[in-house]
mmCIF file of all heavy atoms in Angstrom:
data_model
loop_
_atom_site.group_PDB
_atom_site.id
_atom_site.type_symbol
_atom_site.label_atom_id
_atom_site.label_comp_id
_atom_site.label_asym_id
_atom_site.label_seq_id
_atom_site.Cartn_x
_atom_site.Cartn_y
_atom_site.Cartn_z
ATOM 1 N N LEU Z 1005 31.349 27.017 95.689
ATOM 2 C CA LEU Z 1005 30.061 27.472 96.221
ATOM 3 C C LEU Z 1005 29.954 27.171 97.714
ATOM 4 O O LEU Z 1005 29.544 28.031 98.508
ATOM 5 C CB LEU Z 1005 28.924 26.787 95.463
ATOM 6 C CG LEU Z 1005 27.505 27.042 95.975
ATOM 7 C CD1 LEU Z 1005 27.082 28.476 95.697
ATOM 8 C CD2 LEU Z 1005 26.514 26.076 95.331
ATOM 9 N N PHE Z 1006 30.316 25.972 98.108
ATOM 10 C CA PHE Z 1006 30.247 25.591 99.525
ATOM 11 C C PHE Z 1006 31.219 26.413 100.366
ATOM 12 O O PHE Z 1006 30.949 26.690 101.539
ATOM 13 C CB PHE Z 1006 30.528 24.096 99.677
ATOM 14 C CG PHE Z 1006 29.316 23.220 99.562
ATOM 15 C CD1 PHE Z 1006 28.638 23.087 98.353
ATOM 16 C CD2 PHE Z 1006 28.843 22.524 100.660
ATOM 17 C CE1 PHE Z 1006 27.516 22.278 98.247
ATOM 18 C CE2 PHE Z 1006 27.719 21.704 100.565
ATOM 19 C CZ PHE Z 1006 27.046 21.585 99.362
ATOM 20 N N ASP Z 1007 32.357 26.800 99.778
ATOM 21 C CA ASP Z 1007 33.323 27.621 100.504
ATOM 22 C C ASP Z 1007 32.848 29.075 100.630
ATOM 23 O O ASP Z 1007 33.152 29.755 101.611
ATOM 24 C CB ASP Z 1007 34.680 27.596 99.793
ATOM 25 C CG ASP Z 1007 35.389 26.252 99.918
ATOM 26 O OD1 ASP Z 1007 35.003 25.463 100.818
ATOM 27 O OD2 ASP Z 1007 36.311 25.997 99.123
ATOM 28 N N GLN Z 1008 32.088 29.539 99.632
ATOM 29 C CA GLN Z 1008 31.713 30.959 99.580
ATOM 30 C C GLN Z 1008 30.556 31.300 100.502
ATOM 31 O O GLN Z 1008 30.526 32.378 101.097
ATOM 32 C CB GLN Z 1008 31.357 31.339 98.138
ATOM 33 C CG GLN Z 1008 30.985 32.808 97.969
ATOM 34 C CD GLN Z 1008 30.686 33.172 96.518
ATOM 35 O OE1 GLN Z 1008 30.775 32.326 95.619
ATOM 36 N NE2 GLN Z 1008 30.331 34.427 96.290
ATOM 37 N N TYR Z 1009 29.571 30.380 100.622
ATOM 38 C CA TYR Z 1009 28.346 30.709 101.345
ATOM 39 C C TYR Z 1009 28.191 29.855 102.600
ATOM 40 O O TYR Z 1009 28.513 28.667 102.606
ATOM 41 C CB TYR Z 1009 27.129 30.514 100.436
ATOM 42 C CG TYR Z 1009 27.045 31.534 99.323
ATOM 43 C CD1 TYR Z 1009 27.513 31.223 98.047
ATOM 44 C CD2 TYR Z 1009 26.535 32.810 99.551
ATOM 45 C CE1 TYR Z 1009 27.459 32.159 97.019
ATOM 46 C CE2 TYR Z 1009 26.472 33.746 98.532
ATOM 47 C CZ TYR Z 1009 26.937 33.417 97.268
ATOM 48 O OH TYR Z 1009 26.886 34.346 96.252
ATOM 49 N N ASP Z 1010 27.661 30.489 103.632
ATOM 50 C CA ASP Z 1010 27.420 29.816 104.905
ATOM 51 C C ASP Z 1010 25.937 29.459 104.986
ATOM 52 O O ASP Z 1010 25.107 30.300 105.305
ATOM 53 C CB ASP Z 1010 27.801 30.747 106.063
ATOM 54 C CG ASP Z 1010 27.597 30.087 107.421
ATOM 55 O OD1 ASP Z 1010 27.533 28.843 107.468
ATOM 56 O OD2 ASP Z 1010 27.479 30.827 108.417
ATOM 57 N N PHE Z 1011 25.607 28.216 104.678
ATOM 58 C CA PHE Z 1011 24.210 27.788 104.735
ATOM 59 C C PHE Z 1011 24.060 26.600 105.662
ATOM 60 O O PHE Z 1011 24.999 25.851 105.910
ATOM 61 C CB PHE Z 1011 23.656 27.485 103.335
ATOM 62 C CG PHE Z 1011 24.535 26.638 102.478
ATOM 63 C CD1 PHE Z 1011 24.517 25.261 102.574
ATOM 64 C CD2 PHE Z 1011 25.393 27.224 101.561
ATOM 65 C CE1 PHE Z 1011 25.333 24.486 101.792
ATOM 66 C CE2 PHE Z 1011 26.229 26.446 100.773
ATOM 67 C CZ PHE Z 1011 26.200 25.071 100.887
ATOM 68 N N ASP Z 1012 22.848 26.444 106.191
ATOM 69 C CA ASP Z 1012 22.567 25.436 107.206
ATOM 70 C C ASP Z 1012 21.923 24.176 106.636
ATOM 71 O O ASP Z 1012 21.867 23.145 107.315
ATOM 72 C CB ASP Z 1012 21.615 26.024 108.259
ATOM 73 C CG ASP Z 1012 22.145 27.323 108.833
ATOM 74 O OD1 ASP Z 1012 22.962 27.259 109.758
ATOM 75 O OD2 ASP Z 1012 21.740 28.405 108.346
ATOM 76 N N ALA Z 1013 21.377 24.278 105.431
ATOM 77 C CA ALA Z 1013 20.632 23.160 104.842
ATOM 78 C C ALA Z 1013 20.652 23.285 103.329
ATOM 79 O O ALA Z 1013 20.902 24.369 102.782
ATOM 80 C CB ALA Z 1013 19.195 23.145 105.350
ATOM 81 N N VAL Z 1014 20.369 22.170 102.675
ATOM 82 C CA VAL Z 1014 20.296 22.122 101.207
ATOM 83 C C VAL Z 1014 18.966 21.501 100.805
ATOM 84 O O VAL Z 1014 18.532 20.513 101.403
ATOM 85 C CB VAL Z 1014 21.441 21.281 100.605
ATOM 86 C CG1 VAL Z 1014 21.326 21.230 99.079
ATOM 87 C CG2 VAL Z 1014 22.798 21.834 101.020
ATOM 88 N N ILE Z 1015 18.315 22.105 99.805
ATOM 89 C CA ILE Z 1015 17.207 21.444 99.107
ATOM 90 C C ILE Z 1015 17.705 21.157 97.702
ATOM 91 O O ILE Z 1015 18.076 22.077 96.973
ATOM 92 C CB ILE Z 1015 15.931 22.307 99.064
ATOM 93 C CG1 ILE Z 1015 15.478 22.677 100.473
ATOM 94 C CG2 ILE Z 1015 14.823 21.554 98.325
ATOM 95 C CD1 ILE Z 1015 14.234 23.574 100.505
ATOM 96 N N HIS Z 1016 17.730 19.882 97.341
ATOM 97 C CA HIS Z 1016 18.327 19.490 96.065
ATOM 98 C C HIS Z 1016 17.242 19.182 95.036
ATOM 99 O O HIS Z 1016 16.568 18.151 95.099
ATOM 100 C CB HIS Z 1016 19.218 18.258 96.244
ATOM 101 C CG HIS Z 1016 19.930 17.852 94.996
ATOM 102 N ND1 HIS Z 1016 20.901 18.627 94.392
ATOM 103 C CD2 HIS Z 1016 19.795 16.752 94.199
ATOM 104 C CE1 HIS Z 1016 21.337 18.035 93.303
ATOM 105 N NE2 HIS Z 1016 20.683 16.890 93.155
ATOM 106 N N PHE Z 1017 17.090 20.120 94.091
ATOM 107 C CA PHE Z 1017 16.166 19.940 92.973
ATOM 108 C C PHE Z 1017 16.890 19.620 91.672
ATOM 109 O O PHE Z 1017 16.264 19.130 90.722
ATOM 110 C CB PHE Z 1017 15.363 21.228 92.719
ATOM 111 C CG PHE Z 1017 14.373 21.589 93.781
ATOM 112 C CD1 PHE Z 1017 14.593 22.672 94.609
ATOM 113 C CD2 PHE Z 1017 13.204 20.869 93.945
ATOM 114 C CE1 PHE Z 1017 13.677 23.025 95.581
ATOM 115 C CE2 PHE Z 1017 12.281 21.201 94.916
ATOM 116 C CZ PHE Z 1017 12.515 22.292 95.738
ATOM 117 N N ALA Z 1018 18.181 19.950 91.590
ATOM 118 C CA ALA Z 1018 18.885 19.939 90.313
ATOM 119 C C ALA Z 1018 18.930 18.532 89.720
ATOM 120 O O ALA Z 1018 19.708 17.684 90.156
ATOM 121 C CB ALA Z 1018 20.300 20.480 90.501
ATOM 122 N N ALA Z 1019 18.083 18.291 88.720
ATOM 123 C CA ALA Z 1019 18.020 16.981 88.068
ATOM 124 C C ALA Z 1019 17.234 17.107 86.769
ATOM 125 O O ALA Z 1019 16.360 17.968 86.651
ATOM 126 C CB ALA Z 1019 17.346 15.950 88.973
ATOM 127 N N SER Z 1020 17.554 16.251 85.830
ATOM 128 C CA SER Z 1020 16.716 16.127 84.632
ATOM 129 C C SER Z 1020 15.465 15.358 85.041
ATOM 130 O O SER Z 1020 15.532 14.431 85.842
ATOM 131 C CB SER Z 1020 17.470 15.389 83.539
ATOM 132 O OG SER Z 1020 18.668 16.071 83.218
ATOM 133 N N LYS Z 1021 14.297 15.698 84.452
ATOM 134 C CA LYS Z 1021 13.065 15.260 85.101
ATOM 135 C C LYS Z 1021 11.967 14.705 84.196
ATOM 136 O O LYS Z 1021 10.877 14.402 84.684
ATOM 137 C CB LYS Z 1021 12.477 16.437 85.883
ATOM 138 C CG LYS Z 1021 12.096 17.619 84.992
ATOM 139 C CD LYS Z 1021 11.479 18.758 85.785
ATOM 140 C CE LYS Z 1021 10.984 19.859 84.867
ATOM 141 N NZ LYS Z 1021 10.300 20.930 85.607
ATOM 142 N N ALA Z 1022 12.192 14.548 82.921
ATOM 143 C CA ALA Z 1022 11.116 14.121 82.026
ATOM 144 C C ALA Z 1022 11.151 12.611 81.815
ATOM 145 O O ALA Z 1022 12.169 12.056 81.373
ATOM 146 C CB ALA Z 1022 11.207 14.837 80.681
ATOM 147 N N VAL Z 1023 10.040 11.938 82.117
ATOM 148 C CA VAL Z 1023 9.968 10.483 82.017
ATOM 149 C C VAL Z 1023 10.278 10.012 80.594
ATOM 150 O O VAL Z 1023 11.140 9.162 80.368
ATOM 151 C CB VAL Z 1023 8.583 9.982 82.469
ATOM 152 C CG1 VAL Z 1023 8.410 8.504 82.118
ATOM 153 C CG2 VAL Z 1023 8.400 10.193 83.966
ATOM 154 N N GLY Z 1024 9.557 10.549 79.608
ATOM 155 C CA GLY Z 1024 9.737 10.103 78.233
ATOM 156 C C GLY Z 1024 11.136 10.352 77.717
ATOM 157 O O GLY Z 1024 11.734 9.505 77.039
ATOM 158 N N GLU Z 1025 11.679 11.515 78.022
ATOM 159 C CA GLU Z 1025 13.035 11.845 77.596
ATOM 160 C C GLU Z 1025 14.053 10.898 78.220
ATOM 161 O O GLU Z 1025 15.029 10.498 77.584
ATOM 162 C CB GLU Z 1025 13.353 13.281 77.990
ATOM 163 C CG GLU Z 1025 14.712 13.780 77.515
ATOM 164 C CD GLU Z 1025 14.964 15.209 77.927
ATOM 165 O OE1 GLU Z 1025 15.008 15.481 79.148
ATOM 166 O OE2 GLU Z 1025 15.115 16.069 77.043
ATOM 167 N N SER Z 1026 13.823 10.511 79.474
ATOM 168 C CA SER Z 1026 14.763 9.611 80.141
ATOM 169 C C SER Z 1026 14.782 8.232 79.480
ATOM 170 O O SER Z 1026 15.814 7.560 79.475
ATOM 171 C CB SER Z 1026 14.419 9.483 81.630
ATOM 172 O OG SER Z 1026 13.322 8.616 81.856
ATOM 173 N N VAL Z 1027 13.653 7.814 78.931
ATOM 174 C CA VAL Z 1027 13.594 6.536 78.224
ATOM 175 C C VAL Z 1027 14.452 6.610 76.958
ATOM 176 O O VAL Z 1027 15.136 5.656 76.586
ATOM 177 C CB VAL Z 1027 12.137 6.162 77.890
ATOM 178 C CG1 VAL Z 1027 12.083 4.922 76.999
ATOM 179 C CG2 VAL Z 1027 11.335 5.930 79.175
ATOM 180 N N ARG Z 1028 14.439 7.765 76.319
ATOM 181 C CA ARG Z 1028 15.212 7.949 75.086
ATOM 182 C C ARG Z 1028 16.702 8.192 75.367
ATOM 183 O O ARG Z 1028 17.550 7.832 74.545
ATOM 184 C CB ARG Z 1028 14.655 9.119 74.283
ATOM 185 C CG ARG Z 1028 13.233 8.930 73.787
ATOM 186 C CD ARG Z 1028 12.847 10.021 72.810
ATOM 187 N NE ARG Z 1028 12.901 11.354 73.403
ATOM 188 C CZ ARG Z 1028 11.886 11.924 74.069
ATOM 189 N NH1 ARG Z 1028 10.755 11.254 74.235
ATOM 190 N NH2 ARG Z 1028 12.005 13.137 74.566
ATOM 191 N N GLU Z 1029 17.018 8.841 76.496
ATOM 192 C CA GLU Z 1029 18.401 9.233 76.799
ATOM 193 C C GLU Z 1029 18.789 8.793 78.209
ATOM 194 O O GLU Z 1029 19.080 9.623 79.075
ATOM 195 C CB GLU Z 1029 18.556 10.750 76.668
ATOM 196 C CG GLU Z 1029 18.208 11.308 75.309
ATOM 197 C CD GLU Z 1029 18.395 12.813 75.258
ATOM 198 O OE1 GLU Z 1029 19.532 13.287 75.494
ATOM 199 O OE2 GLU Z 1029 17.417 13.530 75.003
ATOM 200 N N PRO Z 1030 18.819 7.497 78.459
ATOM 201 C CA PRO Z 1030 19.048 7.027 79.833
ATOM 202 C C PRO Z 1030 20.399 7.422 80.407
ATOM 203 O O PRO Z 1030 20.494 7.795 81.579
ATOM 204 C CB PRO Z 1030 18.903 5.508 79.719
ATOM 205 C CG PRO Z 1030 19.123 5.202 78.273
ATOM 206 C CD PRO Z 1030 18.596 6.382 77.523
ATOM 207 N N LEU Z 1031 21.478 7.345 79.612
ATOM 208 C CA LEU Z 1031 22.799 7.636 80.153
ATOM 209 C C LEU Z 1031 22.912 9.073 80.625
ATOM 210 O O LEU Z 1031 23.549 9.360 81.653
ATOM 211 C CB LEU Z 1031 23.876 7.337 79.107
ATOM 212 C CG LEU Z 1031 24.148 5.856 78.862
ATOM 213 C CD1 LEU Z 1031 25.192 5.687 77.764
ATOM 214 C CD2 LEU Z 1031 24.622 5.180 80.142
ATOM 215 N N ARG Z 1032 22.305 10.003 79.889
ATOM 216 C CA ARG Z 1032 22.335 11.414 80.308
ATOM 217 C C ARG Z 1032 21.648 11.579 81.652
ATOM 218 O O ARG Z 1032 22.114 12.333 82.515
ATOM 219 C CB ARG Z 1032 21.669 12.302 79.260
ATOM 220 C CG ARG Z 1032 21.688 13.769 79.640
ATOM 221 C CD ARG Z 1032 21.401 14.644 78.447
ATOM 222 N NE ARG Z 1032 20.003 14.677 78.081
ATOM 223 C CZ ARG Z 1032 19.100 15.518 78.629
ATOM 224 N NH1 ARG Z 1032 19.459 16.348 79.584
ATOM 225 N NH2 ARG Z 1032 17.849 15.499 78.223
ATOM 226 N N TYR Z 1033 20.548 10.864 81.866
ATOM 227 C CA TYR Z 1033 19.822 10.972 83.124
ATOM 228 C C TYR Z 1033 20.613 10.370 84.284
ATOM 229 O O TYR Z 1033 20.698 10.963 85.365
ATOM 230 C CB TYR Z 1033 18.439 10.315 82.999
ATOM 231 C CG TYR Z 1033 17.408 11.312 82.538
ATOM 232 C CD1 TYR Z 1033 17.448 11.839 81.245
ATOM 233 C CD2 TYR Z 1033 16.425 11.776 83.395
ATOM 234 C CE1 TYR Z 1033 16.531 12.777 80.826
ATOM 235 C CE2 TYR Z 1033 15.496 12.711 82.989
ATOM 236 C CZ TYR Z 1033 15.553 13.213 81.700
ATOM 237 O OH TYR Z 1033 14.652 14.162 81.288
ATOM 238 N N TYR Z 1034 21.213 9.206 84.059
ATOM 239 C CA TYR Z 1034 22.009 8.607 85.132
ATOM 240 C C TYR Z 1034 23.207 9.488 85.480
ATOM 241 O O TYR Z 1034 23.504 9.724 86.652
ATOM 242 C CB TYR Z 1034 22.467 7.202 84.732
ATOM 243 C CG TYR Z 1034 21.352 6.185 84.757
ATOM 244 C CD1 TYR Z 1034 20.988 5.482 83.610
ATOM 245 C CD2 TYR Z 1034 20.647 5.923 85.935
ATOM 246 C CE1 TYR Z 1034 19.956 4.557 83.637
ATOM 247 C CE2 TYR Z 1034 19.618 5.000 85.967
ATOM 248 C CZ TYR Z 1034 19.273 4.320 84.812
ATOM 249 O OH TYR Z 1034 18.251 3.411 84.843
ATOM 250 N N ARG Z 1035 23.904 9.977 84.479
ATOM 251 C CA ARG Z 1035 25.103 10.775 84.728
ATOM 252 C C ARG Z 1035 24.737 12.068 85.470
ATOM 253 O O ARG Z 1035 25.354 12.416 86.487
ATOM 254 C CB ARG Z 1035 25.807 11.111 83.414
ATOM 255 C CG ARG Z 1035 27.096 11.918 83.601
ATOM 256 C CD ARG Z 1035 27.776 12.205 82.274
ATOM 257 N NE ARG Z 1035 28.207 10.972 81.615
ATOM 258 C CZ ARG Z 1035 27.644 10.478 80.506
ATOM 259 N NH1 ARG Z 1035 26.627 11.097 79.940
ATOM 260 N NH2 ARG Z 1035 28.085 9.372 79.973
ATOM 261 N N ASN Z 1036 23.740 12.777 84.998
ATOM 262 C CA ASN Z 1036 23.397 14.068 85.587
ATOM 263 C C ASN Z 1036 22.784 13.918 86.976
ATOM 264 O O ASN Z 1036 23.211 14.552 87.944
ATOM 265 C CB ASN Z 1036 22.436 14.828 84.675
ATOM 266 C CG ASN Z 1036 22.087 16.195 85.228
ATOM 267 O OD1 ASN Z 1036 22.956 17.051 85.369
ATOM 268 N ND2 ASN Z 1036 20.817 16.407 85.548
ATOM 269 N N ASN Z 1037 21.777 13.069 87.097
ATOM 270 C CA ASN Z 1037 21.021 13.007 88.340
ATOM 271 C C ASN Z 1037 21.820 12.391 89.486
ATOM 272 O O ASN Z 1037 21.694 12.825 90.629
ATOM 273 C CB ASN Z 1037 19.716 12.250 88.127
ATOM 274 C CG ASN Z 1037 18.749 13.004 87.229
ATOM 275 O OD1 ASN Z 1037 19.090 14.044 86.662
ATOM 276 N ND2 ASN Z 1037 17.541 12.489 87.090
ATOM 277 N N LEU Z 1038 22.630 11.388 89.177
ATOM 278 C CA LEU Z 1038 23.395 10.744 90.239
ATOM 279 C C LEU Z 1038 24.643 11.540 90.616
ATOM 280 O O LEU Z 1038 24.940 11.739 91.794
ATOM 281 C CB LEU Z 1038 23.776 9.324 89.833
ATOM 282 C CG LEU Z 1038 22.615 8.371 89.557
ATOM 283 C CD1 LEU Z 1038 23.137 6.991 89.176
ATOM 284 C CD2 LEU Z 1038 21.675 8.262 90.743
ATOM 285 N N THR Z 1039 25.369 12.037 89.619
ATOM 286 C CA THR Z 1039 26.599 12.781 89.906
ATOM 287 C C THR Z 1039 26.304 14.053 90.679
ATOM 288 O O THR Z 1039 26.994 14.374 91.656
ATOM 289 C CB THR Z 1039 27.345 13.109 88.601
ATOM 290 O OG1 THR Z 1039 27.633 11.905 87.902
ATOM 291 C CG2 THR Z 1039 28.644 13.852 88.895
ATOM 292 N N SER Z 1040 25.291 14.791 90.250
ATOM 293 C CA SER Z 1040 24.967 16.050 90.925
ATOM 294 C C SER Z 1040 24.594 15.797 92.379
ATOM 295 O O SER Z 1040 25.038 16.518 93.290
ATOM 296 C CB SER Z 1040 23.827 16.771 90.195
ATOM 297 O OG SER Z 1040 22.630 15.995 90.198
ATOM 298 N N PHE Z 1041 23.817 14.755 92.630
ATOM 299 C CA PHE Z 1041 23.380 14.470 94.000
ATOM 300 C C PHE Z 1041 24.554 14.026 94.869
ATOM 301 O O PHE Z 1041 24.702 14.472 96.017
ATOM 302 C CB PHE Z 1041 22.285 13.404 93.984
ATOM 303 C CG PHE Z 1041 21.726 13.112 95.354
ATOM 304 C CD1 PHE Z 1041 21.055 14.078 96.066
ATOM 305 C CD2 PHE Z 1041 21.879 11.860 95.916
ATOM 306 C CE1 PHE Z 1041 20.545 13.813 97.333
ATOM 307 C CE2 PHE Z 1041 21.367 11.581 97.173
ATOM 308 C CZ PHE Z 1041 20.701 12.565 97.880
ATOM 309 N N MET Z 1042 25.391 13.152 94.348
ATOM 310 C CA MET Z 1042 26.529 12.686 95.144
ATOM 311 C C MET Z 1042 27.506 13.819 95.440
ATOM 312 O O MET Z 1042 28.078 13.881 96.535
ATOM 313 C CB MET Z 1042 27.219 11.518 94.437
ATOM 314 C CG MET Z 1042 26.404 10.230 94.495
ATOM 315 S SD MET Z 1042 27.283 8.757 93.901
ATOM 316 C CE MET Z 1042 27.338 9.097 92.141
ATOM 317 N N ASN Z 1043 27.693 14.725 94.505
ATOM 318 C CA ASN Z 1043 28.539 15.887 94.776
ATOM 319 C C ASN Z 1043 28.003 16.695 95.954
ATOM 320 O O ASN Z 1043 28.753 17.105 96.844
ATOM 321 C CB ASN Z 1043 28.636 16.785 93.539
ATOM 322 C CG ASN Z 1043 29.650 16.290 92.522
ATOM 323 O OD1 ASN Z 1043 30.490 15.439 92.819
ATOM 324 N ND2 ASN Z 1043 29.576 16.821 91.316
ATOM 325 N N VAL Z 1044 26.699 16.933 95.956
ATOM 326 C CA VAL Z 1044 26.089 17.710 97.040
ATOM 327 C C VAL Z 1044 26.278 17.013 98.383
ATOM 328 O O VAL Z 1044 26.710 17.621 99.370
ATOM 329 C CB VAL Z 1044 24.593 17.953 96.754
ATOM 330 C CG1 VAL Z 1044 23.881 18.494 97.997
ATOM 331 C CG2 VAL Z 1044 24.408 18.915 95.598
ATOM 332 N N VAL Z 1045 25.969 15.723 98.444
ATOM 333 C CA VAL Z 1045 26.033 15.001 99.718
ATOM 334 C C VAL Z 1045 27.471 14.899 100.211
ATOM 335 O O VAL Z 1045 27.758 15.091 101.409
ATOM 336 C CB VAL Z 1045 25.390 13.611 99.586
ATOM 337 C CG1 VAL Z 1045 25.565 12.815 100.870
ATOM 338 C CG2 VAL Z 1045 23.904 13.739 99.256
ATOM 339 N N GLU Z 1046 28.406 14.633 99.319
ATOM 340 C CA GLU Z 1046 29.806 14.534 99.730
ATOM 341 C C GLU Z 1046 30.330 15.859 100.257
ATOM 342 O O GLU Z 1046 31.063 15.898 101.259
ATOM 343 C CB GLU Z 1046 30.663 14.048 98.557
ATOM 344 C CG GLU Z 1046 30.486 12.569 98.243
ATOM 345 C CD GLU Z 1046 31.240 12.138 97.004
ATOM 346 O OE1 GLU Z 1046 31.619 13.001 96.189
ATOM 347 O OE2 GLU Z 1046 31.448 10.927 96.860
ATOM 348 N N LEU Z 1047 29.947 16.954 99.620
ATOM 349 C CA LEU Z 1047 30.397 18.266 100.085
ATOM 350 C C LEU Z 1047 29.728 18.653 101.392
ATOM 351 O O LEU Z 1047 30.325 19.349 102.217
ATOM 352 C CB LEU Z 1047 30.156 19.316 99.001
ATOM 353 C CG LEU Z 1047 31.146 19.246 97.833
ATOM 354 C CD1 LEU Z 1047 30.664 20.083 96.664
ATOM 355 C CD2 LEU Z 1047 32.531 19.716 98.292
ATOM 356 N N MET Z 1048 28.492 18.224 101.601
ATOM 357 C CA MET Z 1048 27.851 18.445 102.892
ATOM 358 C C MET Z 1048 28.636 17.751 103.994
ATOM 359 O O MET Z 1048 28.876 18.315 105.065
ATOM 360 C CB MET Z 1048 26.403 17.959 102.853
ATOM 361 C CG MET Z 1048 25.478 18.814 102.013
ATOM 362 S SD MET Z 1048 23.791 18.187 101.992
ATOM 363 C CE MET Z 1048 23.319 18.425 103.716
#
């Protein structure tokens, strides 16, 4: 994606977002929310 498109900025929304669900499934929230964000920042 970063190779295909020429963009000047990123707005990062991609994350799981429900408080109650995160209490029930903490590992899914840590894996998704942290990995996705670090991928974006590293590629930037």
Side-chain angles (χ1 to χ4, degrees):
L1005 174 70
F1006 272 68
D1007 289 342
Q1008 181 178 359
Y1009 291 98
D1010 181 20
F1011 47 84
D1012 306 276
V1014 179
I1015 302 178
H1016 184 66
F1017 291 109
S1020 302
K1021 62 178 186 176
V1023 169
E1025 184 180 62
S1026 78
V1027 173
R1028 296 190 299 273
E1029 302 180 59
L1031 286 178
R1032 181 164 77 86
Y1033 270 68
Y1034 287 120
R1035 181 179 297 110
N1036 182 63
N1037 292 6
L1038 299 181
T1039 302
S1040 62
F1041 183 64
M1042 287 189 289
N1043 279 345
V1044 168
V1045 175
E1046 286 175 342
L1047 285 167
M1048 289 179 66

